[in-house]
Amino acid sequence: MKVYISADLEGISGMVSWDQMKEDTPEYTKAVELMLKEVNAAVEGAVKGGASEVLVNDSHGYMRNLPIEGLHPKANLISGFIKPLSMVQGAEGADLAFFIGYHAGVGTRASICDHSYSSGSVFRLSINGKDFSETAINAAVCGHFGVPVGLVTGDQETVNQARVILPGVLTVATKVGITRFAASCRHPLEVRKEIEEKAQAALIKFKEEGFQPFLVETPVTMEITFMQTAKADVAELLPGTERLDGRTLIYRGKDILEVYRALQALLFLARSVS
Ligand SMILES: [Zn+2]
């Protein structure tokens, strides 16, 4: 039984601002320690639930946040950047996925650091006509590999959004957003306890009744509205894109995997200008 964990930072209890997530600051050192402990709680729950293998994918920013010497000894770690499958690198071959420390999609009110893949570039992101958060698109890539998502943790809006698209998923709300940069945070000890319990419960549920992988219809149409026209100007250099208006383009792919890889390329292009 292999459990895959994609770990982000914004949804960890205590995180309320980008300032806490800037590398080489005292706040960042504390932030990754809090992230590590929520990840380790998920690993511990998975191991108690019978996981023989746990793979953690560091999925925030430049993706080398988690200090490996503090990681739960039963887990392995994917660290570093660039990864073709980004936040879901390594999901293929797992039995069950957990999303830890996730955040809500761009435009969500009262949700910490709401964004979809790039706070500076993406105004809106949709797949097959529906707004997709990182939870949704990452769950769809996991679904492409036949891997269901059993646990999502993050702020209240994040888990609300997860429950809509992933029926039966277990969730842990780490905090309740007040605005984009303020939240009522639960105590980390309580959050970790619940993450461990829910992780273990997810494995039991997986064995007893299973979870449905999240699948999107193929072919897949992705529509991205960028923050500025210049970003769309460079993004449309990628063959296969179609410009709809000043800031919006669409990309059609045979499946979510192809679209996900195109998304990574489009974001690299978009980040090159402002
Ligand atoms: Zn992040």
Side-chain angles (χ1 to χ4, degrees):
M1 175 85 194
K2 179 175 176 181
V3 171
Y4 173 79
I5 298 176
S6 172
D8 207 349
L9 181 52
E10 292 87 339
I12 302 295
S13 184
M15 293 301 104
V16 294
S17 163
W18 303 116
D19 292 340
Q20 295 167 287
M21 304 174 211
K22 283 183 187 147
E23 290 179 47
D24 300 324
T25 63
E27 278 199 294
Y28 173 77
T29 306
K30 284 184 208 159
V32 294
E33 193 60 30
L34 291 168
M35 179 188 183
L36 182 70
K37 286 175 176 169
E38 288 193 21
V39 168
N40 281 346
V43 177
E44 179 63 18
V47 170
K48 280 187 178 158
S52 54
E53 208 180 323
V54 182
L55 178 61
V56 176
N57 180 27
D58 193 325
S59 297
H60 174 76
Y62 285 99
M63 303 185 170
R64 48 171 194 268
N65 308 282
L66 291 167
I68 194 166
E69 72 276 12
L71 189 68
H72 192 297
K74 295 281 193 248
N76 289 329
L77 177 67
I78 296 176
S79 183
F81 187 77
I82 301 162
K83 297 176 282 195
L85 291 185
S86 186
M87 298 181 78
V88 279
Q89 186 72 36
E92 188 173 10
D95 295 293
L96 186 63
F98 295 167
F99 294 166
I100 303 296
Y102 267 45
H103 55 81
V106 62
T108 306
R109 189 177 176 185
S111 188
I112 295 301
C113 299
D114 66 291
H115 69 284
S116 297
Y117 270 94
S118 171
S119 187
S121 293
V122 177
F123 182 79
R124 193 170 170 219
L125 173 66
S126 74
I127 298 286
N128 292 345
K130 288 185 184 154
D131 284 351
F132 260 43
S133 64
E134 287 174 25
T135 302
I137 197 162
N138 293 345
V141 176
C142 288
H144 177 87
F145 294 126
V147 182
V149 179
L151 175 65
V152 176
T153 76
D155 71 18
Q156 188 65 56
E157 287 302 319
T158 305
V159 304
N160 290 349
Q161 291 178 1
R163 286 198 199 113
V164 170
I165 57 158
L166 306 170
V169 71
L170 302 187
T171 58
V172 178
T174 59
K175 55 199 166 190
V176 179
I178 297 165
T179 61
R180 192 180 195 215
F181 298 124
S184 173
C185 300
R186 294 176 63 199
H187 195 286
L189 291 176
E190 288 297 308
V191 168
R192 288 173 211 152
K193 185 163 165 273
E194 189 181 351
I195 289 175
E196 184 182 322
E197 287 167 358
K198 293 276 175 71
Q200 185 177 1
L203 267 82
I204 292 163
K205 186 170 177 177
F206 175 80
K207 288 178 216 160
E208 287 179 353
E209 55 187 288
F211 292 95
Q212 286 297 315
F214 179 55
L215 301 173
V216 296
E217 269 186 52
T218 57
V220 177
T221 300
M222 172 172 64
E223 185 173 318
I224 304 181
T225 302
F226 292 99
M227 291 286 184
Q228 295 97 17
T229 51
K231 292 182 183 296
D233 290 339
V234 290
E236 78 166 336
L237 296 172
L238 187 77
T241 55
E242 182 188 334
R243 187 84 171 256
L244 290 188
D245 61 32
R247 295 190 304 166
T248 305
L249 59 77
I250 60 173
Y251 181 91
R252 294 185 183 88
K254 67 177 165 57
D255 55 32
I256 191 70
L257 203 56
E258 192 173 285
V259 163
Y260 194 77
R261 291 173 69 104
L263 172 62
Q264 308 309 318
L266 290 166
L267 293 175
F268 276 117
L269 289 167
R271 285 187 188 118
S272 68
V273 292
S274 57

